[in-house]
């Protein structure tokens, strides 16, 4: 078990470009979560999946953001037409069914939009 | 919707000092409460959690937290901190759902 893996670790992109991040959860975890964290703030919830179904999306997730988990395993988060305000750390976490277990977080992808 | 307040944004302590970090939550129903820690350059790790039962919960590395329902609080404590406890600490809550809502975090620096 290598934990939750996120790629890439860092991404620098020009404003207006599209970016995609990948998250590989712990294999036996059927829940997967995406969070965003900016400097001086705690992680903010973006969306979560149970298996391949996206069950909840935050209002923070504008139309430019889309997330998928096509086979209930890895997930991708795409940001279209990036803006400077999208610069943040994007965190992925996974858990078994049932919040009692807490989440296991990945190391995150740091996005810088220039 | 639930929310979490951490009033101490930066705390500086000397080694062996006692630690208490405040956490208050807002939610009218049953809650599950967590403390996460993020050491420099590392990912968020679960420190301890409370679901039910004994309101005093013990976690890893000598940390403990007490759930006081009447005060909507879940403060984190450690009797004697070490330099290696330097990290950012996040309180989090779930209420009526599966998603964790985090506080803004407390940056702890322990000086030798």
């Amino acid at each position: 078990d290598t934990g939750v893996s996120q790629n890439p670790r860092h991404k620098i992109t020009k404003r207006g470009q599209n970016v995609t991040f990948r998250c590989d959860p712990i294999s036996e975890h059927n829940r997967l979560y995406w969070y965003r964290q900016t400097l001086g703030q705690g992680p903010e919830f973006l969306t979560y999946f149970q298996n391949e179904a996206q069950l909840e999306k935050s209002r923070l997730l504008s139309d430019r953001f889309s997330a998928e988990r096509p086979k209930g395993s890895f997930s991708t988060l795409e940001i279209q037409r990036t803006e400077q305000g999208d610069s943040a750390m994007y965190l992925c976490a996974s858990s078994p069914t049932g919040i009692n277990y807490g989440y296991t977080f990945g190391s995150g992808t740091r996005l810088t939009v220039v | 919707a639930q929310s979490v307040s951490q009033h101490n944004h930066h705390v500086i302590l000397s080694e062996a000092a006692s630690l208490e970090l405040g956490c208050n939550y807002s939610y009218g129903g049953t809650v599950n409460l967590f403390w996460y820690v993020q050491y420099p350059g590392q990912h968020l790790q679960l420190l301890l959690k409370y679901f039910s039962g004994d309101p005093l919960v013990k976690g890893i590395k000598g940390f403990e937290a007490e759930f006081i329902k009447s005060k909507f609080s879940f403060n984190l404590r450690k009797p004697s901190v070490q330099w290696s406890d330097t990290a950012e600490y996040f309180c989090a809550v779930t209420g009526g759902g599966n998603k964790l809502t985090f506080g803004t975090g407390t940056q702890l620096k322990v000086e030798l």
Side-chain angles (χ1 to χ4, degrees), chain A residues 73-91:
Chain A
S73 56
F74 73 92
S75 176
T76 58
L77 177 68
E78 181 183 16
I79 309 174
Q80 296 181 326
R81 306 181 303 281
T82 52
E83 302 172 356
Q84 286 189 321
D86 297 331
S87 295
M89 177 74 85
Y90 289 84
L91 300 170

Side-chain angles (χ1 to χ4, degrees), chain B:
Chain B
Q2 62 264 29
S3 64
V4 179
S5 296
Q6 292 182 248
H7 304 294
N8 314 105
H9 298 295
H10 293 91
V11 174
I12 301 174
L13 295 173
S14 298
E15 266 204 330
S18 64
L19 169 72
E20 181 161 3
L21 300 182
C23 172
N24 288 90
Y25 67 91
S26 173
Y27 185 72
T30 302
V31 293
N32 299 316
L33 296 154
F34 304 79
W35 277 95
Y36 278 82
V37 60
Q38 188 166 27
Y39 298 103
Q42 297 188 26
H43 61 275
L44 281 161
Q45 301 172 42
L46 181 64
L47 203 53
L48 49 78
K49 56 189 177 183
Y50 171 80
F51 297 103
S52 62
D54 189 345
L56 184 62
V57 293
K58 296 189 183 300
I60 60 172
K61 304 186 180 184
F63 286 91
E64 64 179 32
E66 185 176 12
F67 170 52
I68 303 179
K69 189 175 181 180
S70 61
K71 294 185 178 180
F72 297 90
S73 70
F74 189 57
N75 292 354
L76 181 70
R77 300 194 293 248
K78 186 171 184 179
S80 175
V81 295
Q82 300 173 314
W83 178 79
S84 58
D85 293 324
T86 294
E88 190 158 19
Y89 292 82
F90 294 93
C91 183
V93 63
T94 63
N98 298 298
K99 68 173 191 263
L100 280 174
T101 298
F102 286 85
T104 52
T106 297
Q107 187 70 51
L108 172 66
K109 182 178 180 182
V110 180
E111 297 179 331
L112 294 171

